[in-house]
Amino acid sequence: MTGAARIPLNDYGVLGEPPAPGEWTPTLTVSVVIPAYRAERTLPLTLASLARQTYPAHLMEVVVVDDGERPMEPPAGSPAVSSSGPLPERLRVVRPRDGAWGRASACAAGAEAAEGEVILYLDADLVLFPEHVEAQMRWHHLADYLVVLGHLRFVPGLDEVPASEVLAAVEAGAVPKLFAEEDATPQWTERRWDQTDDLRAAGFSAFSVMVGATASLPARLLRAAGGLDASLVLGEDTELGYRLAQAGAVFVPDRRSRCWHLGRSTVMRREPDVKRHNWPHLAERVPSFRWLRRHPHRTYLVPYVEVVVEVGDASFEEVRATVDAVLGGRLPDVRVTVVGPWGRLGGGRRDPLGDPALDLRLVLACYQGEPRVRFREAVPDDCFPVPFRFHCPPGWVPARGTIGSVVKHADRQRLGIVSLALDEREDGRVVHARLERTAAMSRARHCAGPEDDLGDLVHEMYGTVWDAGDKWGFLPAALAVSTAPPVPGRVWTGASGEAGAPGEAGAARALRRPRHQGRSGARPLRRTARLLRRRLRALVRPT
């Protein structure tokens, strides 16, 4: 595994073609985890097909998670489960923790017991083609942050095809001939594969086709994403896919990793009921599903944007102006993190009006009752699983639509970072706001070497851009008091030669771009912009 492969967005094509099955030497270990609930008829067929895989048996273990109300009864002579056919060489059966139930809990128990470097989740009603495991595993040898999705087709269940016939095909190596491909029903995800060049062009939405029936990922990546959410009994695979995306994962469908699904899925049989059940749960946890968050005022378990305001030496009035503007914006599902030395605010006797820490105390008092505001001593390393973090300096006021417009721009242009130049200080420092995409930052951290700059890596894999803050509706707090903030203007698409130039040179170019005319407050803002342009030109003028 390289771990340093730099994949742009979800375009894993930069890795090249994986080796053909049978023409390479695997080294990674894999744990196949199978959650099983009332699967006594189909599980033996799944296990038999696993016993006939081309992936080396000494590198593969199978962990069956018995999720029934009572433990399965193994027959005499069998160490695990009842089966009239072959069993994998390394097979274990585990139980979820007491009181835990459901597929998510079973998968979590299986991953906890697994010893492999890669976890491959399988449903207990699949019959695998012999190359199924190997086809997925060859990708994991190319990069260590891939989620590989298998290819399945729905075929008649055991009420139409006898189990003995399926087992005979497995033992004869004739699984591909068991059913006619053209008569089988494709999974709904296959249509998305076809539309997006096998997800290479899916961009940020690739995670939405994550289906747990057959999917593999590095155990380390699963742990980094927090594993499956055991509080979910349906839709847990989609929610896990979202968090894997925020952890920097790339999603790879493999059409050679084939299998038959015996019978129709629950979604196929009861799609309206499944959606009715899943959508409220996913609305709380997957901010990217914007169609599920149409209420104009409410908040959710996982916000869409975390806004970070570092107090520094700013006054109470400056901090309040910024935080109030964010909370009053059109984007309701935001969370504000105010960073300051809160630990030094003691409770002893003090001069209430002459307290050196008075501004800090006022900020704390101002938002004690606001659930969308939290206080931290330092900026957290990341805001996972929130998809966006917006750094906003205190004393600068965004318009009501600013944050939502910047996020939309980042999505349209598929950017990892958007920096908005606001001011340039006497010491040469450019004051700026900055939108960071969590998925981009996570992948950059994963791929970074000792000498790599995270911003450069994000620029390489996602793209970054500098623009002028006033065009997006930013005003200094003092100016915002007397001048209504302008509505964020039409987004700048930029030429390919300019888009994403990081650093202060990029900020200078952003401030040289034309401003919108005719907006309320545009004239004083243009004077500010001209001053900034002169200062930044002096800053970047060659000596």
Side-chain angles (χ1 to χ4, degrees):
M1 292 187 296
T2 64
R6 300 174 181 180
I7 301 174
L9 295 173
N10 207 68
D11 187 8
Y12 55 88
V14 298
L15 298 175
E17 286 296 320
E23 298 181 3
W24 62 299
T25 302
T27 59
L28 293 177
T29 58
V30 57
S31 295
V32 180
V33 175
I34 306 176
Y37 175 69
R38 296 181 179 178
E40 292 82 4
R41 297 180 65 204
T42 58
L43 177 60
L45 305 176
T46 303
L47 295 176
S49 64
L50 280 167
R52 295 291 186 259
Q53 290 296 297
T54 59
Y55 201 74
H58 71 280
L59 295 176
M60 183 176 72
E61 69 165 351
V62 177
V63 180
V64 175
V65 186
D66 178 9
D67 190 34
E69 289 84 355
R70 292 181 300 274
M72 289 187 290
E73 297 265 344
S78 173
V81 295
S82 174
S83 178
S84 57
L87 294 172
E89 290 184 14
R90 301 172 59 202
L91 173 62
R92 289 183 288 148
V93 176
V94 300
R95 293 276 294 175
R97 295 177 180 175
D98 291 342
W101 64 278
R103 188 180 185 279
S105 294
C107 287
E112 185 176 342
E115 299 174 352
E117 296 163 280
V118 175
I119 305 293
L120 169 56
Y121 287 118
L122 288 180
D123 278 357
D125 49 8
L126 303 181
V127 178
L128 313 180
F129 287 32
E131 297 173 347
H132 187 93
V133 175
E134 182 184 359
Q136 293 196 32
M137 288 301 297
R138 59 198 178 135
W139 289 100
H140 294 297
H141 287 70
L142 300 182
D144 62 353
Y145 56 97
L146 305 181
V147 177
V148 185
L149 309 175
H151 179 267
L152 64 82
R153 290 286 177 93
F154 295 93
V155 295
L158 297 183
D159 53 340
E160 299 182 44
V161 180
S164 58
E165 183 178 332
V166 178
L167 184 59
V170 171
E171 293 183 316
V175 170
K177 300 179 181 178
L178 188 59
F179 301 95
E181 190 84 19
E182 60 272 15
D183 295 335
T185 303
Q187 193 175 34
W188 67 268
T189 57
E190 195 171 334
R191 183 171 64 255
R192 289 289 307 280
W193 296 7
D194 295 338
Q195 295 169 345
T196 58
D197 190 19
D198 283 350
L199 299 185
R200 292 182 185 90
F204 306 121
S205 66
F207 78 89
S208 63
V209 298
M210 168 80 175
V211 176
T214 166
S216 60
L217 69 164
R220 179 211 58 80
L221 180 62
L222 179 63
R223 290 191 296 269
L228 279 97
D229 185 345
S231 69
L232 297 175
V233 293
L234 289 175
E236 75 289 334
D237 45 5
T238 301
E239 193 274 338
L240 174 62
Y242 164 76
R243 281 186 287 113
L244 288 169
Q246 305 316 307
V250 170
F251 295 82
V252 180
D254 193 309
R255 295 178 187 264
R256 298 192 67 167
S257 181
R258 296 181 293 169
C259 62
W260 302 123
H261 186 290
L262 300 175
R264 303 171 71 201
S265 69
T266 303
V267 174
M268 295 172 69
R269 290 183 282 109
R270 303 182 61 181
E271 181 178 0
D273 293 334
V274 170
K275 289 181 176 179
R276 180 175 183 269
H277 177 278
N278 288 357
W279 283 2
H281 295 280
L282 295 179
E284 291 291 330
R285 296 164 174 83
V286 184
S288 301
F289 290 166
R290 302 308 294 161
W291 68 91
L292 296 179
R293 295 190 172 189
R294 293 180 175 175
H295 195 286
H297 303 297
R298 62 157 299 185
T299 58
Y300 300 85
L301 281 177
V302 180
Y304 193 38
V305 181
E306 178 186 62
V307 179
V308 176
V309 180
E310 297 185 63
V311 174
D313 57 358
S315 68
F316 161 62
E317 287 76 15
E318 290 173 321
V319 175
R320 183 176 62 177
T322 299
V323 175
D324 282 356
V326 171
L327 295 177
R330 292 196 183 98
L331 193 65
D333 49 340
V334 298
R335 178 177 69 199
V336 181
T337 298
V338 184
V339 179
W342 312 109
R344 82 183 196 194
L345 298 180
R349 184 183 292 274
R350 64 185 183 278
D351 179 357
L353 301 182
D355 184 0
L358 176 59
D359 285 70
L360 276 177
R361 294 185 189 278
L362 294 177
V363 171
L364 191 62
C366 189
Y367 298 106
Q368 282 181 324
E370 173 53 66
R372 289 189 289 166
V373 176
R374 63 178 187 172
F375 299 89
R376 294 291 183 270
E377 292 278 330
V379 179
D381 291 337
D382 59 55
C383 62
F384 177 91
V386 181
F388 293 100
R389 172 183 278 180
F390 193 82
H391 295 266
C392 188
W396 288 88
V397 176
R400 291 190 64 208
T402 293
I403 296 176
S405 296
V406 176
V407 169
K408 287 181 181 178
H409 179 54
D411 277 343
R412 291 193 190 103
Q413 301 301 316
R414 298 190 168 187
L415 299 170
I417 296 175
V418 178
S419 298
L420 303 178
L422 304 174
D423 195 1
E424 190 261 323
R425 300 289 172 81
E426 292 182 358
D427 60 3
R429 182 171 62 91
V430 176
V431 179
H432 64 282
R434 174 179 165 115
L435 179 74
E436 298 174 345
R437 187 181 298 274
T438 300
M441 300 302 294
S442 296
R443 190 179 302 175
R445 291 189 188 94
H446 181 76
C447 295
E451 305 300 323
D452 289 322
D453 177 77
L454 290 183
D456 291 342
L457 289 177
V458 172
H459 179 62
E460 178 181 346
M461 292 187 286
Y462 287 81
T464 63
V465 69
W466 276 90
D467 206 352
D470 71 303
K471 191 177 74 175
W472 294 92
F474 267 100
L475 284 176
L479 187 59
V481 171
S482 57
T483 307
V487 176
R490 179 172 56 86
V491 297
W492 171 75
T493 56
S496 58
E498 288 186 322
E504 292 181 351
R509 282 196 293 274
L511 290 175
R512 287 200 296 269
R513 296 189 186 108
R515 299 299 186 268
H516 288 275
Q517 305 295 324
R519 300 291 188 187
S520 175
R523 186 168 300 170
L525 192 56
R526 283 198 297 271
R527 290 197 294 269
T528 303
R530 285 197 295 270
L531 176 61
L532 287 173
R533 285 200 297 271
R534 287 196 295 270
R535 290 179 177 176
L536 284 173
R537 282 169 181 161
L539 178 68
V540 301
R541 183 180 297 123
T543 57

